[in-house]
Amino acid sequence: MKLSTKAWERSANIYNAIIKHPFNQELMQGTLAKDKFAYYIEQDVIYLQDFSRCHAIIASKIPLEHMHSFLKYAEYTLIAEQEVVHQFFTKEFNFTETGLITPATLSYTSYMLKTCLNESVEIALAALLPCFWVYREVGLFIAAIAEKNNPYFRWIETYSSEAFCNSVDEAIIIFDAMAANTTEAVREKMLDAFYKSTCLEWHFWNDSYRKRVFDDLLN
Amino acid sequence: MTISEEILKKTSIQSNEIIYSKFIQKIRSGTLEPDKFIYYMIQDVNFLKYYAKCNAIIATKILYEYKADFVAYTKSSITYIKFVEEYFFEHPEYQSNSTTRATEGYTNYLVKNCATKPLELALSAILACELLYKSLGEYLKNNSVTNNSYEPWYLPLSDPEYVKGVDKLQYIVDDYGLAASSATQSEMIDIGAKGYVWEYEFFQDAYAKQIFNDY
């Protein structure tokens, strides 16, 4: 069995919880409160800055044949997602920044950076892959049901697009190729990292939905 | 005001929340449920691994003139670390890989800051833990019930060598802060303050026996 298949199977329960989460259910129905979506976008901007940096870190370590893919992901993340999607929504809905950060945003970005800097490139890959993969699956799931007049259609379109889906397929292929060439011990750590990041994905949506604030002890 | 004074001022609420948390108050009265203490110790072992890594990262970067003081600080918590090691040596059955959200979040936060940020910010990141534990040590030594079964845990935190070590770290952070730009000083205060929030969450999660992948 490919390691990617194993990784996804181990995280299946979390993915199901993500799909069923009120954030994504309401996004799908087009009823998600704008302030919750705005807060999520604000967190995502913070997240994508470090996500992009992590891809650059991986690009600096990964075998040459895969390096350009990761430089491309680093650039795509910043330009296509942050500048296009987030700027679109900020302008379209007149969002204003709160300047706040959720516990999940801080945890997840710290986890990714720590892993990319301290662990082998295979484990770093495993820590980043869930974001791509989960977003593709969520995007496709929602796209199949959401109406065209859904106010969040631009977001749905981005994460269900052919270009994005192809990028995810490419990332999974690289993940499996690297997994095939490493030790069993590292493969286990790859599975663990993938699982942890998938958990953090759930927390990211949950914290955004609940508008949690990191240093608000009563929240 | 020095950087450490600014951090302490900014985190006075968090500090009080920790001191008056159920975990610390039950330690004080000697009534903390053993399973909660075990779970806290499991988290602490995990935390200390990454904390040691952070100290190592800082040690590679710190200016030569501070090296002696920094080494003295890292060695000052030896009594506490010995307690932790003996605790699990005597009770190997307690060992577990279970982590909380706060353990994961805090350790990742510390390593990330030590590995990616300038030295001043790395120093600020680790300061919160030491300032807090020094204050907990003093509080518990002066306010706990007598014949408290948790004495072996909190007495090392008021050990004169440990207190001296924390003071050395505080001095180093403040000295670096004096030489830093105002933008860096602000970031030092922010990173140190966030450490206090993580400390609060760490105790809360340990008391609740929270599990990282409990979604």
Side-chain angles (χ1 to χ4, degrees), chain A:
Chain A
M1 189 191 278
K2 287 184 185 171
L3 199 76
S4 57
T5 307
K6 220 175 182 178
W8 189 259
E9 279 179 9
R10 277 200 196 179
S11 305
N13 286 345
I14 308 170
Y15 171 69
N16 287 334
I18 288 170
I19 288 290
K20 288 178 184 154
H21 195 282
F23 186 102
N24 288 313
Q25 288 294 309
E26 290 170 21
L27 186 75
M28 185 167 66
Q29 303 299 331
T31 58
L32 180 66
K34 288 206 169 58
D35 63 308
K36 290 182 195 265
F37 187 74
Y39 197 59
Y40 158 81
I41 289 286
E42 189 177 2
Q43 301 308 308
D44 211 34
V45 166
I46 298 168
Y47 171 88
L48 287 173
Q49 286 166 10
D50 283 338
F51 191 60
S52 174
R53 194 193 301 248
C54 287
H55 281 96
I57 293 170
I58 289 177
S60 71
K61 298 191 203 182
I62 206 160
L64 266 176
E65 71 231 52
H66 302 305
M67 185 188 71
H68 287 293
S69 295
F70 280 86
L71 286 173
K72 186 184 69 182
Y73 300 149
E75 193 185 340
Y76 174 82
T77 304
L78 269 180
I79 295 169
E81 293 183 42
Q82 192 162 211
E83 288 184 15
V84 174
V85 177
H86 296 117
Q87 280 188 11
F88 169 80
F89 280 111
T90 303
K91 200 172 150 188
E92 180 81 0
F93 294 127
N94 203 24
F95 289 160
T96 51
E97 285 184 0
T98 64
L100 301 171
I101 191 168
T102 70
T105 304
L106 196 53
S107 280
Y108 198 0
T109 53
S110 298
Y111 176 67
M112 284 192 308
L113 278 166
K114 182 206 85 172
T115 306
C116 288
L117 286 163
N118 287 288
E119 301 289 348
S120 70
V121 70
E122 294 87 354
I123 298 166
L125 269 175
L128 298 196
L129 185 58
C131 177
F132 275 126
W133 200 344
V134 167
Y135 266 69
R136 179 182 74 179
E137 300 308 313
V138 170
L140 288 171
F141 178 83
I142 291 177
I145 297 168
E147 302 284 337
K148 278 268 184 322
N149 61 358
N150 186 314
Y152 305 113
F153 196 75
R154 184 69 183 258
W155 184 96
I156 299 165
E157 194 179 44
T158 300
Y159 293 110
S160 57
S161 70
E162 192 178 341
F164 183 71
C165 290
N166 289 342
S167 288
V168 177
D169 281 337
E170 186 187 46
I172 294 171
I173 289 168
I174 296 172
F175 174 90
D176 283 327
M178 297 294 290
N181 285 326
T182 190
T183 65
E184 189 54 39
V186 169
R187 278 193 285 274
E188 268 310 306
K189 285 187 174 180
M190 289 172 79
L191 290 172
D192 184 58
F194 187 98
Y195 182 76
K196 272 199 170 98
S197 282
T198 312
C199 289
L200 287 163
E201 283 289 335
W202 182 89
H203 284 297
F204 189 88
W205 266 305
N206 192 51
D207 276 10
S208 291
Y209 187 77
R210 289 175 54 207
K211 294 181 78 176
R212 290 190 70 205
V213 178
F214 174 70
D215 52 359
D216 180 0
L217 300 185
L218 302 175
N219 188 352

Side-chain angles (χ1 to χ4, degrees), chain B residues 12 39 46 75 113-114 117 126 172 174 182 185 187:
Chain B
S12 59
Y39 200 67
N46 201 302
K75 288 184 169 165
N113 280 311
C114 290
K117 303 269 185 185
I126 65 167
I172 293 170
D174 288 338
S182 56
Q185 287 171 345
E187 244 193 298

